[in-house]
Amino acid sequence: MAVLKVIEVLASSKISWEDASKEAVKHAAKTVKNLRSVYVKEQSMTIDNGNIVDYRVTLKLSFELE
């Protein structure tokens, strides 16, 4: 039987929500072993003078406990 843990991470990118998500997973994979799935919980942007400054994502990452 597998036991999974879920953590929530936040990330941002100047390019896109997809880029923010990819970078968050890439970064988390450096220290979290056995990553299994990612759930995009929330997306948002910051705006300055009508221009998008940052794309932000809140992700739920699940990983199997050893």
Side-chain angles (χ1 to χ4, degrees):
M1 175 180 90
V3 177
L4 302 176
K5 181 172 181 147
V6 178
I7 59 172
E8 196 166 277
V9 299
L10 308 171
S12 65
S13 168
K14 298 204 179 292
I15 299 168
S16 67
W17 287 305
E18 184 178 357
D19 185 60
S21 299
K22 285 180 181 179
E23 291 301 316
V25 170
K26 187 175 165 182
H27 188 77
K30 292 177 184 176
T31 57
V32 179
K33 296 179 183 178
N34 302 320
L35 282 174
R36 295 296 175 125
S37 65
V38 178
Y39 168 75
V40 179
K41 180 179 174 185
E42 189 173 74
Q43 297 174 316
S44 63
M45 290 182 266
T46 56
I47 298 173
D48 185 30
N49 288 331
N51 297 312
I52 298 170
V53 177
D54 281 316
Y55 295 87
R56 296 179 174 180
V57 292
T58 303
L59 305 175
K60 287 190 170 190
L61 302 176
S62 67
F63 58 97
E64 185 174 346
L65 296 176
E66 295 180 355

